Amino acid sequence: QVQLVESGGGLVQPGGSLRLSCAASGFTFSRYAMSWYRQAPGKERELVARISSVSGNVIYANSVKGRFTIARDDAKSTVYLQMNSLKPEDTAVYYCNSANLFGKEDWGQGIQVTVSS
């Protein structure tokens, strides 16, 4: 059974930092691209960052470039999202996602990140 469990969310002031973690199990982690998505109230779910399974190449949403960093630790089957210089616009539920080239995709339950003074 695939499981993706997010942790590390919470409330932070503007300009602050948080690190999200997603612990994965039930599949060969190193063969999957891992992503973070987010969904804010009244908005569609959007891709925040993705890290590939082979090359480790990363992509970011324009809104988070220079502030967020995605990384993976295949030995721990964990993907991270380091979020710096947080803005109120970053407030959302953040979801961990796994995907391979054969149409298999799974989601975590999501974790709240709130940026507010």
Side-chain angles (χ1 to χ4, degrees):
Q1 293 180 297
V2 171
Q3 289 195 78
L4 300 172
V5 182
E6 300 99 335
S7 62
L11 175 65
V12 66
Q13 294 185 349
S17 298
L18 285 174
R19 189 180 75 159
L20 303 182
S21 298
C22 173
S25 61
F27 63 100
T28 305
F29 182 84
S30 62
R31 295 180 180 268
Y32 284 70
M34 300 299 299
S35 300
W36 289 96
Y37 288 75
R38 68 186 182 187
Q39 187 167 24
K43 295 185 177 180
E44 298 294 322
R45 186 175 297 187
E46 65 171 340
L47 176 66
V48 177
R50 175 172 290 153
I51 184 165
S52 67
S53 60
V54 177
S55 67
N57 287 344
V58 300
I59 59 172
Y60 297 97
N62 287 334
S63 60
V64 307
K65 284 182 179 177
R67 300 188 298 119
F68 290 11
T69 303
I70 189 170
R72 65 190 296 157
D73 186 339
D74 287 350
K76 296 182 178 180
S77 296
T78 301
V79 63
Y80 306 93
L81 185 68
Q82 179 67 46
M83 305 185 293
N84 298 326
S85 301
L86 282 161
K87 304 175 180 179
E89 306 94 276
D90 297 317
T91 296
V93 176
Y94 284 70
Y95 297 89
C96 183
N97 167 273
S98 64
N100 67 13
L101 295 175
F102 304 102
K104 186 176 187 297
E105 186 175 45
D106 289 281
W107 295 87
Q109 293 296 315
I111 190 165
Q112 180 70 46
V113 171
T114 302
V115 185
S116 177
S117 60

